[in-house]
Amino acid sequence: MVEGLLAEQEEQALYNFELTVAVTLQEAQNYFAKEKYDLVLLDLTLPDSHGLHTVEEVVKAAPYTPIIVLTATSDEDLGLAALKKGAQDFLVKDETYRKVLIRSIRYAYQRNLAEQEIREAKELAEFATNSKSSFIANLSHELRTPLRCSLSLSAML
């Protein structure tokens, strides 16, 4: 179904999606171990996993990769729980039209890029803070050392 929604020539030319399909959680985990993916479209019912466990396992296997749950289950509580576990969107297959799916993919991808920029800026700020603290500690040590020596010399005189 997803392949059909995304495979239309017009949409592929506009957005250039490349799909890798895994039919089991184990197969998906093997893919994640070999390669980084821009986004995961996740069905909550797989032969070897179902429900929120599937979301948790995908988040562990592919951290910082946006996940869109695309499932036949229309349970809103399950959808909210999936979002709390790390999914970025929860779409019901029967209610999902091509444009909605593509928009959700694009938005999730862009949100992930923005979050990556925030993580990198935070790491840079933490590095700068640590560098500043280290510099001040070294400078303080260097300033105190000669002062102690000069105080000792003056005490001798």
Side-chain angles (χ1 to χ4, degrees):
M1 178 183 167
V2 173
E3 294 93 340
L5 285 174
L6 297 177
E8 291 190 15
Q9 293 294 4
E10 175 185 317
E11 298 301 337
Q12 272 202 335
L14 288 174
Y15 303 112
N16 196 22
F17 294 120
E18 183 180 323
L19 294 177
T20 301
V21 178
V23 295
T24 66
L25 177 60
Q26 183 61 53
E27 185 179 9
Q29 290 170 322
N30 292 340
Y31 285 139
F32 297 140
K34 295 176 191 170
E35 192 173 338
K36 182 184 180 306
Y37 289 87
D38 294 324
L39 187 124
V40 175
L41 290 175
L42 180 65
D43 193 330
L44 293 181
T45 305
L46 299 173
D48 57 345
S49 180
H50 66 278
L52 296 177
H53 177 261
T54 308
V55 176
E56 291 169 342
E57 291 300 313
V58 171
V59 167
K60 275 194 259 180
Y64 305 119
T65 303
I67 299 168
I68 297 174
V69 173
L70 185 61
T71 187
T73 305
S74 61
D75 181 351
E76 288 185 24
D77 291 333
L78 180 62
L80 290 173
L83 294 176
K84 288 178 182 177
K85 295 288 183 183
Q88 287 204 2
D89 209 343
F90 185 88
L91 302 175
V92 180
K93 288 179 185 177
D94 291 342
E95 300 169 3
T96 303
Y97 299 97
R98 180 176 0 106
K99 290 187 188 256
V100 171
L101 178 59
I102 291 169
R103 183 178 59 228
S104 183
I105 289 169
R106 290 179 63 217
Y107 287 179
Y109 180 74
Q110 290 302 319
R111 274 192 307 269
N112 190 58
L113 289 178
E115 289 170 1
Q116 179 63 32
E117 288 175 9
I118 291 169
R119 281 192 299 273
E120 289 171 1
K122 181 182 175 199
E123 289 172 8
L124 186 61
E126 288 172 352
F127 177 76
T129 299
N130 292 339
S131 296
K132 182 181 92 173
S133 296
S134 177
F135 173 75
I136 290 173
N138 288 337
L139 182 62
S140 175
H141 172 74
E142 294 300 325
L143 288 175
R144 280 189 313 240
T145 302
L147 291 175
R148 272 194 226 127
C149 292
S150 64
L151 288 174
S152 298
L153 288 175
S154 64
M156 294 176 152
L157 297 174

